[in-house]
Amino acid sequence: MKRASFSILSQLTRCRPQKLAPFLSKNYIHDLTSSSSPLKSCTKAHGLEFRTHQPSHTINTLVGNPPQTSTRQRKIKEKSDLEEAFESAKTSEEMLQIFKQMESSFDETELGLVGLKIALKLDQEGGDPEMTLSFANRALNVLDKDERNNRPSLLVAMCLQVMGSANYSFKRFSDSLGYLSKANRMLGRLEEEGLGGSVEDIKPIMHAVHLELANVKTAMGRREEALEHLQKCLEIKELILEEDSRELGVANRDLAEAFVAVLNFKEALPFGLKALEIHKKGLGHNSVEVAHDRRLLGVIYSGLEEHQKALEQNELSQKVLKTWGLSSELLRAEIDAANMQIALGKFEEAINTLKGVVRQTEKESETRALVFISMGKALCNQEKFADAKRCLEIACGILDKKETISPEEVADAYSEISMQYESMNEFETAISLLKRTLALLEKLPQAQHSEGSVSARIGWLLLLTGKVPQAIPYLESAAERLKESFGPKHFGVGYIYNNLGAAYLELDRPQSAAQVFAFAKDIMDVSLGPHHADSIEACQNLSKAYSSMGSYTLAIEFQQRAIDAWESHGPSAQDELREARRLLEQLKIKASGASINQLPTKALPLPPTSVSGQSSQPDVSINQKLTGAM
């Protein structure tokens, strides 16, 4: 939407076709605050109005001699010529050259709008962020008089948007978020008070701001919040675009991809299907956009464990990609297909598919590494562990050389390889690879959510291998990072707290265990529901912690809650119910033998938290629970 921001400014400040709006006059701010819209039709209120001013006395001239041009008229002509030249400029470089000349003829107030147009052009072209920020800030100093008078301004909102974008380029995410949030509030006021002009005026700017907010919050790991902004972007596009436009189809696909990134495949599906419907209608069944939609749908159906549907979409996508000769994308689609075949248990078919792909890849390419990772997965499922390890070693050898070039992609690949070593009970190797993954992610500010997920997996594996003291800092770090990324009530945070509680119990710290088990139970009840199996497990863990503390009254209370929850499952949970009742009887025996309860009989307090980051997918696999959006 950077292009949209620049183009809308050009439209809103143009007095006539292909003519730059007269620049801001000294009276502009006064006229702006007294008008019903900051960008009403071009009039003298919007800037300089050039007229031929007649002198108050008669100038005698010799007959036959040309009239003398006054100094004032020459200056007006020079400024008019500069305006025309600036309007004709096609690139930011041309605009900057003319701006240098304008600085000697125009005052700072008049140059405010010019600075904003240059800032937007630089941002659109991906120019120097420092220069972009400088021009935007210079424009803001001129244009924000309305804000000081508590009146929202569309031009000020545009300044704030481009300042947010420039700060994002510097990875100054907090500063970027501040500017963009202020722009968003201002645009909201303009819309609410009817001061932003027509829908065509304000909506493209709102879209640009929400898109930048989505980028910034994604980079900060706040992906659930980023989704809200992307949904707003789609709503705006639905208002201003034709219902079957290609761009609207892409917007639906982008939103589907964002839901996939947080493993919310159920929410992703309708947007993926909508994108496909729009692109088939507007571009035909054999368009590249349709191929991209189908490949994404394959990923979504895989996430929903509807692997046959996934494979069907993938095959249709491959047909189109072959038609268009898109070899690189075709290879990735074939690797996707092999992974779907593995999920369906068709291991030999997957291996044959991958053998065909590997012959088409370059020796040291990332694509080749992905082929060997998938090959290792297929062989691992066949319990051909020696061959699987050889494939994974080849992949690691390639990826090792790509760490500085593509750190995020390599981190993803290491994480996948570690899962395979984990499935082969090669825990030390899995932990080592995850630590390499974490080292890469720590250098990427936008990968905080992935960093938290990897820390959680390292902690879990250390716990599994009996290295409890080493596990605790990883689990504690993971909980904090995932709370920041997905909200304090996300089910993934609950699973980490369950593991952390188990670690505290192992180290004979029952009070700490009880507190984090209480956190886990509170989160599970909100995100999964109190009768979900994992919520019941958290309840039983809490009972176990209180029992270790000697607080049998509370231990019995929580164990009884677990029994009540299992009873609601009916015959399918008879084994779990039987075990829960056995534990309750044990607690009652311990309680009757205890002479005094020296520890609290009230549950440990929970800190105040807001309900956010809830998920509609309680039944994802343990790796998905811990890897988040990796």
Side-chain angles (χ1 to χ4, degrees):
M1 285 301 296
K2 292 177 180 177
R3 183 179 298 277
S5 297
F6 184 78
S7 63
I8 195 67
L9 176 64
S10 299
Q11 294 167 16
L12 295 174
T13 58
R14 188 170 292 148
C15 285
R16 56 184 181 273
Q18 299 182 355
K19 175 72 174 73
L20 179 67
F23 303 122
L24 302 177
S25 68
K26 294 176 182 179
N27 295 323
Y28 173 80
I29 299 298
H30 169 75
D31 292 326
L32 185 63
T33 56
S34 64
S35 66
S36 60
S37 168
L39 292 166
K40 61 183 181 178
S41 59
C42 291
T43 66
K44 63 181 179 181
H46 281 260
L48 300 177
E49 184 177 27
F50 299 113
R51 294 195 182 100
T52 304
H53 295 272
Q54 297 297 330
S56 57
H57 59 279
T58 303
I59 299 177
N60 294 318
T61 59
L62 295 174
V63 177
N65 289 337
Q68 297 297 311
T69 304
S70 69
T71 301
R72 179 182 178 84
Q73 288 174 321
R74 283 198 304 273
K75 288 183 178 180
I76 291 173
K77 179 66 166 61
E78 288 172 5
K79 293 171 81 170
S80 179
D81 289 344
L82 286 171
E83 286 183 288
E84 295 285 356
F86 188 87
E87 173 63 13
S88 301
K90 303 297 183 185
T91 65
S92 59
E93 186 177 353
E94 293 173 0
M95 293 170 76
L96 288 167
Q97 290 175 351
I98 298 166
F99 182 80
K100 289 179 182 178
Q101 301 175 51
M102 294 172 71
E103 285 185 296
S104 61
S105 303
F106 295 83
D107 62 33
E108 192 64 22
T109 302
E110 294 171 326
L111 292 171
L113 183 58
V114 187
L116 176 55
K117 294 193 76 168
I118 292 174
L120 286 165
K121 187 67 173 176
L122 286 166
D123 195 42
Q124 174 194 329
E125 293 180 349
D128 179 8
E130 194 67 62
M131 186 179 291
T132 303
L133 200 57
S134 175
F135 275 103
N137 192 55
R138 186 170 178 175
L140 184 65
N141 289 335
V142 172
L143 298 171
D144 73 346
K145 180 67 178 294
D146 274 358
E147 178 68 5
R148 291 195 290 269
N149 290 332
N150 199 32
R151 287 178 60 87
S153 161
L154 185 57
L155 289 176
V156 171
M158 295 171 76
C159 284
L160 294 168
Q161 182 263 320
V162 77
M163 291 174 81
S165 177
N167 275 284
Y168 175 79
S169 299
F170 282 120
K171 301 189 185 306
R172 298 199 290 248
F173 301 130
S174 294
D175 291 342
S176 178
L177 184 60
Y179 287 119
L180 293 168
S181 296
K182 186 175 181 180
N184 192 33
R185 290 193 298 272
M186 186 174 291
L187 290 167
R189 284 186 59 198
L190 285 167
E191 187 175 42
E192 182 180 341
E193 298 172 20
L195 299 175
S198 66
V199 169
E200 290 77 12
D201 291 347
I202 193 171
K203 289 300 183 184
I205 311 305
M206 291 182 75
H207 183 279
V209 168
H210 280 290
L211 190 58
E212 293 284 2
L213 280 167
N215 290 335
V216 171
K217 289 186 177 181
T218 297
M220 297 174 78
R222 294 159 61 177
R223 293 206 165 201
E224 297 286 344
E225 293 178 46
L227 277 168
E228 295 174 11
H229 293 293
L230 287 175
Q231 287 179 290
K232 184 66 177 178
C233 286
L234 180 58
E235 290 170 10
I236 292 170
K237 284 197 170 184
E238 287 174 339
L239 288 174
I240 61 179
L241 295 174
E242 296 293 330
E243 63 179 16
D244 58 350
S245 72
R246 173 180 176 177
E247 190 176 351
L248 189 56
V250 171
N252 274 276
R253 186 171 67 223
D254 288 344
L255 185 53
E257 288 175 343
F259 275 114
V260 167
V262 296
L263 304 178
N264 197 334
F265 303 107
K266 183 178 178 182
E267 292 290 338
L269 182 58
F271 295 107
L273 291 171
K274 184 65 176 178
L276 178 62
E277 176 189 341
I278 291 172
H279 288 142
K280 282 198 302 184
K281 182 178 178 182
L283 303 172
H285 289 253
N286 293 321
S287 72
V288 174
E289 297 295 348
V290 166
H292 291 160
D293 296 337
R294 291 195 185 281
R295 185 182 172 197
L296 176 61
L297 283 169
V299 174
I300 293 170
Y301 282 125
S302 288
L304 293 171
E305 297 189 0
E306 298 183 39
H307 301 296
Q308 192 57 50
K309 284 186 178 180
L311 197 54
E312 289 168 4
Q313 291 293 336
N314 181 276
E315 288 170 353
L316 289 169
S317 174
Q318 284 192 49
K319 287 180 181 178
V320 178
L321 293 172
K322 286 176 183 176
T323 300
W324 288 92
L326 300 173
S327 56
S328 176
E329 294 182 41
L330 180 59
L331 291 178
R332 293 297 180 106
E334 288 181 303
I335 296 171
D336 288 345
N339 289 327
M340 293 166 192
Q341 289 166 339
I342 292 169
L344 288 167
K346 301 177 179 180
F347 306 125
E348 288 301 330
E349 288 183 35
I351 289 170
N352 289 333
T353 299
L354 293 166
K355 285 179 178 178
V357 176
V358 77
R359 288 193 289 268
Q360 303 174 60
T361 59
E362 296 178 11
K363 189 174 182 180
E364 298 296 323
S365 69
E366 289 176 42
T367 303
R368 190 180 185 87
L370 294 179
V371 173
F372 280 108
I373 293 172
S374 294
M375 187 83 77
K377 187 190 300 183
L379 292 166
C380 186
N381 275 278
Q382 292 179 313
E383 299 187 357
K384 297 178 180 178
F385 298 137
D387 291 339
K389 289 177 188 177
R390 178 57 185 152
C391 287
L392 299 178
E393 287 167 2
I394 293 171
C396 285
I398 296 171
L399 294 168
D400 182 61
K401 301 169 187 175
K402 305 290 183 181
E403 287 187 4
T404 56
I405 303 170
S406 309
E408 196 162 6
E409 291 76 8
V410 172
D412 285 344
Y414 282 159
S415 180
E416 172 65 27
I417 294 169
S418 74
M419 289 183 195
Q420 294 186 39
Y421 277 109
E422 182 183 320
S423 70
M424 292 185 284
N425 294 327
E426 297 279 348
F427 298 121
E428 293 300 326
T429 306
I431 292 170
S432 174
L433 280 164
L434 286 172
K435 287 182 177 179
R436 290 180 69 179
T437 302
L438 193 59
L440 290 171
L441 294 174
E442 284 172 343
K443 300 174 185 177
L444 303 171
Q446 68 272 28
Q448 179 174 296
H449 62 290
S450 299
E451 193 178 333
S453 301
V454 171
S455 291
R457 284 185 59 206
I458 293 173
W460 181 71
L461 287 172
L462 288 169
L463 192 61
L464 190 66
T465 53
K467 298 174 182 176
V468 181
Q470 295 178 38
I472 286 177
Y474 283 104
L475 292 170
E476 289 176 337
S477 173
E480 291 307 308
R481 293 188 183 283
L482 289 187
K483 278 194 293 186
E484 292 173 10
S485 296
F486 298 114
K489 298 294 185 183
H490 191 272
F491 68 89
V493 180
Y495 288 114
I496 294 170
Y497 277 137
N498 256 338
N499 289 331
L500 190 55
Y504 287 143
L505 273 184
E506 189 75 20
L507 294 178
D508 198 23
R509 293 169 57 184
Q511 189 164 353
S512 297
Q515 190 160 24
V516 293
F517 280 142
F519 294 161
K521 179 185 178 303
D522 184 53
I523 292 167
M524 298 298 194
D525 285 351
V526 171
S527 60
L528 306 179
H531 291 171
H532 189 276
D534 292 323
S535 301
I536 301 172
E537 181 186 350
C539 194
Q540 292 192 147
N541 284 338
L542 192 52
S543 172
K544 186 186 299 183
Y546 281 123
S547 174
S548 297
M549 294 166 64
S551 185
Y552 296 113
T553 301
L554 282 171
I556 289 170
E557 178 187 337
F558 282 105
Q559 188 60 32
Q560 184 61 55
R561 291 189 195 180
I563 289 170
D564 294 341
W566 281 126
E567 285 176 343
S568 70
H569 283 246
S572 63
Q574 287 305 305
D575 291 342
E576 291 85 351
L577 181 59
R578 191 179 302 109
E579 176 63 14
R581 285 173 174 163
R582 186 186 68 81
L583 292 173
L584 179 61
E585 290 305 314
Q586 282 188 348
L587 286 171
K588 288 179 178 179
I589 293 170
K590 288 181 180 179
S592 64
S595 59
I596 184 169
N597 189 346
Q598 298 176 338
L599 292 169
T601 56
K602 291 185 179 180
L604 297 175
L606 293 174
T609 54
S610 60
V611 178
S612 64
Q614 297 182 29
S615 173
S616 59
Q617 300 177 87
D619 297 318
V620 294
S621 69
I622 184 63
N623 280 328
Q624 288 176 332
K625 291 168 186 173
L626 294 178
T627 55
M630 286 284 297

